[in-house]
Amino acid sequence: MATEKIAMGINLRKNKNSKNAATFGKYYPEVDVQKTLSLRGFIDHMTAHSCPYGRTTVEGVVQQITDHLVELLGQAVPVNFPGLGTFYPSAEVAKDAAVESIEAMAGLDVNDIIKGIHIRFLPDATTLDNITSPAFKAACQLELRNIVDTQELLIGGKRRKVQTLKPVATAVAELMAGNGGESTGGDTENQGGGTENGGSQGGGQNGGGTGTIDTGGNGGNTGGNGGSTDPDDGDEG
């Protein structure tokens, strides 16, 4: 059964970091990340797209894969899924954890020098199943969507950072008409902080991954920006 290919939205965000004169004021692309799909949603997607197995079977298999994948990674055994890639563990070293000498290894507790264990993923790069970044881009249908801006507003007596979206076509039309210039103060999304915005199972809506961010540290982005190229960020996520 043929299915319509849903585009991956690309937003543009203005660099407001004046410390970098070469990029300050310019707009950079980032993925319009949608709401994270739950396991139930993922299974619903599978069973709705010509999967020959029933929901109960699919859910059981997926859950078993998850359990055993975590178990094997906990034993430092990488697991490869052909056509997808390899999951493998890596260690995050604690600050000032270098062992100065062999003598210092006597009685060493490895938990003192390892801060955490990360589960990493390496995309398949074989000729037939190449989904590394350039090849995966070719497999995606990209669609330019919104200009993303962040404004600090007073909501409920608290200062909150609120993301706003304005369609690129609207911003360009306003500029051409001399009405809006470079304004990106489009309709505010999720000012209350509790409404999830965008992201059906197919990821075809435009509003995912935006919302209220509490400057006190209580907020957050429900979608998560994997691979964001926002030059305002100090490092990669």
Side-chain angles (χ1 to χ4, degrees):
M1 178 186 298
T3 58
E4 179 183 357
K5 188 172 185 178
I6 298 176
M8 174 187 289
I10 301 296
N11 293 333
L12 298 175
R13 186 187 295 270
K14 190 174 185 178
N15 178 18
K16 298 181 180 180
N17 184 2
S18 59
K19 294 181 180 180
N20 191 334
T23 61
F24 177 66
K26 296 181 180 179
Y27 292 85
Y28 288 84
E30 61 182 37
V31 174
D32 183 17
V33 179
Q34 303 296 294
K35 178 184 174 184
T36 300
L37 199 62
S38 66
L39 177 61
R40 178 179 294 275
F42 180 68
I43 293 169
D44 287 342
H45 180 84
M46 290 180 62
T47 55
H49 288 75
S50 302
C51 179
Y53 306 105
R55 176 185 175 79
T56 302
T57 301
V58 173
E59 185 170 7
V61 171
V62 171
Q63 188 61 61
Q64 285 293 309
I65 290 174
T66 302
D67 293 344
H68 287 281
L69 176 62
V70 173
E71 178 186 353
L72 289 168
L73 292 174
Q75 299 169 5
V77 179
V79 178
N80 175 261
F81 292 86
L84 181 62
T86 302
F87 291 88
Y88 65 96
S90 69
E92 179 181 353
V93 180
K95 185 178 180 180
D96 300 326
V99 182
E100 297 181 356
S101 64
I102 294 179
E103 288 79 7
M105 297 178 191
L108 177 68
D109 185 347
V110 70
N111 290 289
D112 293 336
I113 60 174
I114 299 297
K115 182 178 180 180
I117 301 295
H118 295 274
I119 295 178
R120 306 292 190 184
F121 174 71
L122 182 66
D124 202 327
T126 60
T127 302
L128 294 178
D129 298 311
N130 189 351
I131 58 170
T132 54
S133 56
F136 189 53
K137 175 194 170 186
C140 297
Q141 179 179 318
L142 304 184
E143 173 184 87
L144 188 61
R145 289 184 179 165
N146 305 296
I147 294 175
V148 183
D149 193 17
T150 302
Q151 300 177 358
E152 190 170 286
L153 302 176
L154 187 63
I155 301 174
K158 294 183 178 181
R159 304 295 298 182
R160 295 177 181 270
K161 289 185 177 179
V162 178
Q163 283 195 149
T164 60
L165 300 175
K166 175 175 285 190
V168 172
T170 299
V172 172
E174 289 179 350
L175 180 63
M176 297 297 290
N179 294 328
E182 291 184 299
S183 171
T184 57
D187 294 336
T188 300
E189 305 290 341
N190 296 345
Q191 289 192 10
T195 303
E196 291 173 337
N197 182 26
S200 62
Q201 290 178 15
Q205 298 182 12
N206 292 352
T210 64
T212 301
I213 305 173
D214 191 335
T215 56
N218 295 328
N221 185 322
T222 60
N225 275 340
S228 171
T229 56
D230 183 355
D232 287 340
D233 292 341
D235 51 25
E236 287 188 58

